[in-house]
Amino acid sequence: MHTYSLQTPLKQEDILQLKAGDAVQISGRIYTARDAAHKKFLETLDSGGELPFPLQGAVIYYVGPTPAPPGKAIGSAGPTTSYRMDSFAPRLHSLGVKATIGKGKRSEEVKNSLQEYKAVYLGATGGAGALLSQRIKSCEVIAFEELGPEAVRMLEVEDFPTLVVNDAYGNELYTF
């Protein structure tokens, strides 16, 4: 097991060095989206529109953060259960998304997609939202404000801690 510090947007060589169980600290820009936003993503794409952020090398964090307390960029920002995004993830991988962050297991379809499109699924520690929020330096709603906590946000993160759960080679941390 190794520890990597990666800068977004992620490149294919970043992904190909990672193995299930590796620790990854992410710095740069990541985007939040849960199931309601993912549904709108596909509707937008199906109607010929563009998404509110570049997909090439993108990292999507499955989170619905709480409101920011005074003096903070964001409130508690712990991961949500990832399987709710499983029906959307393969298409986003095919369009260039290189990593998603959440908690829990992924479907076989998503695991196959990670291998086909050379992407990874990263786990963040559930129940540690207050600690994770300390790694988020800024937060801006960039789409679907009407979704409240599930609106799409652009986050600037510094050394955001994750573990590789599923790598681009078919390995899974949860089966070790």
Side-chain angles (χ1 to χ4, degrees), residues 30-34 60-67 74-82 84-85 101-104 121-136 149-150 153 155 157 160-162:
I30 66 174
Y31 303 93
T32 72
R34 289 177 45 161
I60 298 176
Y61 184 24
Y62 303 147
V63 61
T66 64
I74 198 168
S76 183
T80 195
T81 305
S82 300
R84 292 195 318 270
M85 279 57 75
I101 304 170
K103 68 179 181 182
Y121 169 54
L122 304 170
T125 304
L131 289 172
L132 291 169
S133 71
Q134 294 175 16
R135 301 299 180 136
I136 299 170
E150 292 196 40
R153 291 168 169 76
L155 307 178
V157 298
F160 191 87
T162 67

Side-chain angles (χ1 to χ4, degrees), residues 4-151:
Y4 296 91
S5 294
L6 299 179
Q7 181 74 37
T8 63
L10 299 179
K11 299 170 192 62
Q12 184 160 321
E13 54 266 23
D14 295 329
I15 299 305
L16 295 178
Q17 69 185 335
L18 301 176
K19 303 287 189 284
D22 286 344
V24 179
Q25 295 181 332
I26 299 173
S27 294
R29 194 170 280 174
I30 66 174
Y31 303 93
T32 72
R34 289 177 45 161
D35 40 330
H38 277 74
K39 184 173 186 287
K40 286 182 172 272
F41 288 165
L42 294 195
E43 290 168 356
T44 300
L45 290 168
D46 289 345
S47 67
E50 291 189 22
L51 296 190
F53 58 90
L55 294 178
Q56 202 59 46
V59 176
I60 298 176
Y61 184 24
Y62 303 147
V63 61
T66 64
K72 300 286 183 181
I74 198 168
S76 183
T80 195
T81 305
S82 300
Y83 74 83
R84 292 195 318 270
M85 279 57 75
D86 280 3
S87 63
F88 309 107
R91 182 150 178 212
L92 295 175
H93 292 145
S94 77
L95 296 171
V97 170
K98 285 297 179 192
T100 55
I101 304 170
K103 68 179 181 182
K105 292 181 73 92
R106 302 310 297 266
S107 69
E108 286 303 314
E109 182 183 19
V110 171
K111 292 183 225 179
N112 292 337
S113 175
L114 295 172
Q115 291 177 73
E116 181 177 355
Y117 299 108
K118 304 302 180 226
V120 293
Y121 169 54
L122 304 170
T125 304
L131 289 172
L132 291 169
S133 71
Q134 294 175 16
R135 301 299 180 136
I136 299 170
K137 303 307 174 190
S138 69
C139 172
E140 175 187 352
V141 173
I142 60 169
F144 314 135
E145 188 170 0
E146 70 276 10
L147 296 178
E150 292 196 40

